Amino acid sequence: MKFPFLPGRVERAIKELIGRPVVHTQRIYDNHKQYIFNGTPKNGKLAGRVVVVSGGSGAIGRAICACMLAEGAIVYVGGRSSEKIETVAAELNHASGTDKAKPLRFFITEETSVRAAIDSVLKECNHLDVWVNCAGGSARTAAVNIHEQSMSVIQDVLDSNLLGCIIGSKCAAACMATQKSGRIINIASAIALAGKPRFSDYAAAKAGIIGLTKSMALEVGQNGITMNIVSPGFIQRGEYSDETLPYLQRSNCLNTVGTSEDVAHAVVFLASDEAKFITGQNILVDGGRSLGLRGDA
């Protein structure tokens, strides 16, 4: 198999990794995410499942969509930007040779919008098996100490992360309760457990997601629904150079670089039958960073 769009050293690294029906790789020399499917997904562990991923056009959300698709699921790439979700769905369909990736536009902080999106999925597929709340993010370049932060930024961080997760989980659970089955997986963060300067609003929102998920797991378990969390640590989302590589390696105990696919594989596991007896749990995907042995050194 040839990868003419990749530099030789990256192509060799990818070839060494190929061992499953699908390989997800990151082109480290720019910010474009490239997925390579070796064969058509047919009978994976999620074959026939219907999945919605909010924030599906983001770095982690896109990787989750790709991994779900690789395991045979019908995947709705959720988000508020029609252009972004349509682009991701088209790219994944082209790469996989399927038509199982579909754009699904909705506003995660508006209950009526989320309910309408779920109704459209049910109209097409008659069931909803997995809902992944991946929308959100920190204030990023606008992040400052909380006593210096504007209330508009704080509110936006809380809404896009915690409120959106509450609404998504609420609406998905209502649908799944009638089916007596389903998986809801929420993306939190290792920062929720350990904290981080200038990210107090984000830490509060993600900690709220952990509390929400554990409480909801107690409420919906009798309806055959599992609720779990995946908390990423420092995940490299874009370009990195030979100069920044040592820093990335020092940020965890494994001396490596965490990727969006590392998070996505944990989500796929929780969505599968292999995790049918797991609920209310938080899986940390952080290379051991939360152990506190190395931190940001």
Side-chain angles (χ1 to χ4, degrees):
M1 182 179 296
K2 295 292 185 181
F3 305 96
F5 49 82
L6 296 174
R9 63 186 177 85
V10 181
E11 180 180 353
R12 288 192 296 273
I14 291 172
K15 287 182 177 179
E16 292 175 1
L17 290 172
I18 294 179
R20 297 187 57 196
V22 62
V23 177
H24 314 293
T25 66
Q26 184 164 2
R27 294 167 65 182
I28 62 174
Y29 58 95
D30 64 19
N31 291 320
H32 180 68
K33 177 73 75 172
Q34 179 72 39
Y35 296 100
I36 303 167
F37 288 78
N38 183 15
T40 301
K42 292 181 179 179
N43 299 315
K45 64 180 66 176
L46 299 179
R49 307 286 174 88
V50 177
V51 177
V52 176
V53 180
S54 78
S57 63
I60 292 178
R62 186 177 179 180
I64 292 171
C65 290
C67 287
M68 294 283 195
L69 183 64
E71 293 293 348
I74 298 169
V75 180
Y76 286 85
V77 183
R80 60 187 178 183
S81 169
S82 296
E83 180 181 0
K84 289 181 178 179
I85 60 177
E86 288 171 4
T87 297
V88 171
E91 287 177 350
L92 293 179
N93 282 333
H94 177 74
S96 65
T98 73
D99 60 356
K100 292 183 178 181
K102 306 172 183 291
L104 183 66
R105 186 172 184 264
F106 59 89
F107 295 88
I108 193 61
T109 57
E110 298 177 9
E111 183 178 3
T112 54
S113 179
V114 176
R115 287 191 178 277
I118 291 176
D119 287 343
S120 68
V121 171
L122 295 177
K123 185 176 181 180
E124 291 182 5
C125 301
N126 298 315
H127 58 104
L128 172 62
D129 301 297
V130 182
W131 181 279
V132 182
N133 282 304
C134 191
S138 69
R140 301 191 186 281
T141 57
V144 295
N145 291 331
I146 195 71
H147 66 279
E148 301 170 317
Q149 186 60 275
S150 70
M151 280 307 303
S152 62
V153 171
I154 293 172
Q155 192 66 60
D156 182 63
V157 170
L158 292 176
D159 286 351
S160 62
N161 290 280
L162 180 55
L163 179 61
C165 188
I166 291 173
I167 292 175
S169 297
K170 175 181 184 293
C171 295
C175 167
M176 293 173 179
T178 63
Q179 304 171 166
K180 297 296 182 181
S181 67
R183 304 273 196 275
I184 299 174
I185 303 162
N186 296 325
I187 306 301
S189 171
I191 292 175
L193 302 177
K196 186 174 183 178
R198 300 187 301 114
F199 288 84
S200 296
D201 45 9
Y202 181 70
K206 293 301 190 181
I209 289 175
I210 294 173
L212 166 75
T213 307
K214 289 180 178 292
S215 295
M216 280 193 69
L218 297 170
E219 297 174 351
V220 302
Q222 62 185 348
N223 294 314
I225 304 168
T226 65
M227 296 274 307
N228 288 291
I229 312 146
V230 174
S231 289
F234 189 7
I235 300 298
Q236 180 60 27
R237 291 176 171 83
E239 180 181 6
Y240 62 89
S241 64
D242 291 340
E243 288 73 28
T244 57
L245 180 58
Y247 166 73
L248 296 173
Q249 292 173 321
R250 289 197 304 270
S251 71
N252 59 74
C253 300
L254 299 178
N255 197 44
T256 187
V257 179
T259 68
S260 298
E261 288 72 36
D262 292 323
V263 180
H265 291 313
V267 174
V268 168
F269 166 68
L270 290 173
S272 73
D273 289 340
E274 296 169 351
K276 63 184 176 58
F277 200 55
I278 299 174
T279 195
Q281 302 306 306
N282 182 18
I283 296 180
L284 279 160
V285 182
D286 71 345
R289 186 180 186 183
S290 56
L291 297 174
L293 299 179
R294 306 186 79 165
D296 290 326

